[in-house]
Amino acid sequence: MTMPTIKHVRAFTVRGGGADYHDQQGYHWIDDHIATPMARYPEYRQSRQSFGINVLGTLVVEIEASDGTVGFAVTTAGEIGAYIVEKHLARFLEGRPVTEIEKIWDQMYFSTQYYGRKGVVLNTISGVDLALWDLLGKIRDEPVHAMIGGPVRDELTFYATGARPDLAKGLGFVGGKLPLHHGPAEGVEGLKKNLEEIAEMRSRVGDDFWLMLDCWMSLDLDYATRLAKGAGEFGLKWIEEALSPDDYWGYAALRKAVPAGMLVTTGEHEATRWGFRMLLEMGCCDIIQPDVGWCGGLTELIKISALADAHGALVVPHGSSVYSYHFVVTRTNSPFAEFLMMAPEADKVVPMFTPLLLDEPVPVNGRIRTSALDKPGFGVRLNPDCTLVRPYAR
Ligand SMILES: C[C@H](O)[C@H](O)CC(=O)C(=O)O
Ligand SMILES: [Mg+2]
């Protein structure tokens, strides 16, 4: 079979949910007084949108092959990402065989290294990489999971992230991850309120349901240690992203300080094999949580995951919807997956990247059958009702 070449790369932006799931309007639990590093400033404490958590918006990368097939992917990178794709990265794709995924990744990473390495540039590279995998899957008429080794299980099992683990239990999830609401600047009062919320949730969900806490980079080592020790009696399964992603030393110390049986997790704001090598070699955490749309894409996640496996660490990707599902189903060291509750009250299951994707599978009774992923590429379509803008059309 002669493989088509890449004819054209296009980058679009779109507002309102999608891959930038913090870009919500109206009341939403995800923007209701959640502890953040900016919560030290009272004026930015109540809403994350107030300090700009949703400024980027969603980037859609579309890649068209010479046979007319179109692959696409979405990530959080908005207009900056669109600029990088059209003005910089497209040159490494157009005219190349659609199979050159590894070489294209290498060229995207090293050509942007002087201004990239992490953050929005890696989100953007991830988006291009995922769009390439989607394109190749469509050309080969295979799901992405089949191209990276094939499934190791018949179904995916999910925990839910949201304000209502008690409702998530009723919906069939294996666990619930609460956002932390009060940061160190809210003092002992805030710490008490945090512990009361965990205690209350534990009493609602019973002893056996997994309960986790997401701290979204908001704490210092002292506060995180006191919180973890206080939460020990409520059987917290893990404490997530307690510290700044740059504080590898703090994470290593926290891991030694938490009560026996409590896991330390982090990595959703980390990128590339080199970033995760720091986390793994410094003994920062028990579970790494790369976001497939931010860590460098699927091509990089495969390397990160192999490294984690050799260190005896689990890989439970952050969010990332179908991009995570196609990966998790192929790896024994990714035994379960995250589902972010995007309903404003966290009371029902809606697709994670709603409203942008069509055919996005959702957990039913906390599970997705592997057979639901058996469609070419990542198996999703763009919703034509969402308005795409192409700011840097060539
Ligand atoms: C709930 C968290 O603050 C954040 O919005 C999502 C996240 O970190 C996670 O799903 O993990
Ligand atoms: Mg998190």
Side-chain angles (χ1 to χ4, degrees):
M1 172 184 187
T2 317
M3 274 290 156
T5 52
I6 296 166
K7 195 167 129 199
H8 205 197
V9 180
R10 298 179 280 270
F12 304 88
T13 60
V14 59
R15 302 300 320 195
D20 190 351
Y21 57 86
H22 290 121
D23 192 23
Q24 302 292 335
Q25 283 178 346
Y27 175 81
H28 201 292
W29 69 265
I30 210 160
D31 204 27
D32 187 9
H33 202 110
I34 287 176
T36 78
M38 288 295 283
R40 70 189 68 161
Y41 305 104
E43 66 272 30
Y44 298 122
R45 205 169 278 165
Q46 175 52 34
S47 155
R48 294 195 279 191
Q49 291 195 3
S50 70
F51 70 74
I53 196 171
N54 59 334
V55 288
L56 289 175
T58 294
L59 167 70
V60 178
V61 180
E62 223 175 53
I63 307 181
E64 185 180 342
S66 52
D67 68 352
T69 312
V70 176
F72 82 94
V74 303
T75 183
T76 322
E79 189 170 331
I80 302 174
Y83 182 93
I84 296 169
V85 171
E86 302 257 14
K87 304 274 186 189
H88 198 168
L89 304 182
R91 74 188 71 191
F92 305 115
L93 287 91
E94 291 171 357
R96 300 274 184 80
V98 294
T99 44
E100 271 191 12
I101 291 181
E102 188 71 28
K103 183 173 172 187
I104 289 169
W105 195 97
D106 205 63
Q107 295 188 349
M108 290 195 294
Y109 179 77
F110 286 106
S111 64
T112 57
Q113 199 178 38
Y114 72 98
Y115 68 91
R117 300 177 53 238
K118 290 176 196 263
V120 72
V121 177
L122 260 294
N123 294 11
T124 304
I125 289 176
S126 305
V128 176
D129 179 72
L130 292 168
L132 265 176
W133 280 100
D134 187 54
L135 177 65
L136 187 60
K138 284 171 174 160
I139 288 170
R140 293 172 57 143
D141 197 25
E142 275 189 287
V144 170
H145 67 69
M147 299 193 293
I148 58 169
V152 295
R153 54 182 76 88
D154 295 336
E155 62 179 17
L156 291 168
T157 307
F158 288 87
Y159 76 86
T161 295
R164 298 298 302 270
D166 52 337
L167 302 182
K169 184 180 178 191
L171 292 166
F173 290 94
V174 289
K177 188 171 79 189
L178 274 172
L180 185 76
H181 284 118
H182 308 282
E186 290 180 72
V188 175
E189 268 314 295
L191 180 59
K192 271 195 205 148
K193 284 189 200 161
N194 286 331
L195 290 172
E196 278 163 14
E197 280 176 38
I198 300 165
E200 165 66 16
M201 202 45 79
R202 174 54 77 202
S203 76
R204 288 196 207 176
V205 298
D207 286 344
D208 297 336
F209 189 67
W210 301 352
L211 205 51
M212 295 77 88
L213 192 62
D214 189 319
C215 307
W216 211 73
M217 311 169 277
S218 61
L219 309 180
D220 53 56
L221 178 59
D222 172 60
Y223 191 100
T225 305
R226 285 188 289 141
L227 178 65
K229 289 196 168 148
E233 66 173 293
F234 309 118
L236 201 65
K237 186 173 170 71
W238 75 62
I239 180 164
E240 174 170 324
E241 227 193 2
L243 309 172
S244 159
D246 290 324
D247 190 2
Y248 303 100
W249 305 267
Y251 276 106
L254 180 62
R255 192 165 173 225
K256 292 197 182 99
V258 295
M262 189 185 292
L263 306 177
V264 173
T265 71
T266 192
E268 71 186 68
H269 296 105
E270 189 55 84
T272 75
R273 72 201 83 152
W274 299 284
F276 283 93
R277 180 179 173 184
M278 288 285 281
L279 288 178
L280 293 163
E281 288 190 2
M282 287 185 64
C284 295
C285 55
D286 301 281
I287 299 179
I288 59 165
Q289 300 168 305
D291 186 299
V292 195
W294 303 344
C295 71
L298 186 59
T299 303
E300 194 62 3
L301 182 57
I302 291 168
K303 294 168 183 155
I304 293 166
S305 168
L307 201 57
D309 207 10
H311 282 82
L314 296 182
V315 181
V316 179
H318 169 255
S320 26
S321 182
V322 285
Y323 307 116
S324 162
Y325 310 158
H326 277 260
F327 175 77
V328 168
V329 81
T330 66
R331 291 299 185 275
T332 52
N333 64 324
S334 297
F336 55 91
E338 174 180 19
F339 188 77
L340 255 159
M341 298 295 281
M342 292 321 303
E345 304 281 354
D347 53 353
K348 54 178 181 279
V349 169
V350 296
M352 215 190 292
F353 285 173
T354 196
L356 187 55
L357 302 182
L358 297 181
D359 305 332
E360 190 182 354
V362 290
V364 177
N365 200 21
R367 287 167 176 77
I368 292 180
R369 299 288 303 166
T370 302
S371 54
L373 305 175
D374 285 343
K375 292 179 188 160
F378 287 107
V380 285
R381 293 176 292 141
L382 283 170
N383 182 349
D385 293 341
C386 294
T387 308
L388 301 188
V389 176
R390 189 170 174 212
Y392 300 104
R394 287 169 299 130

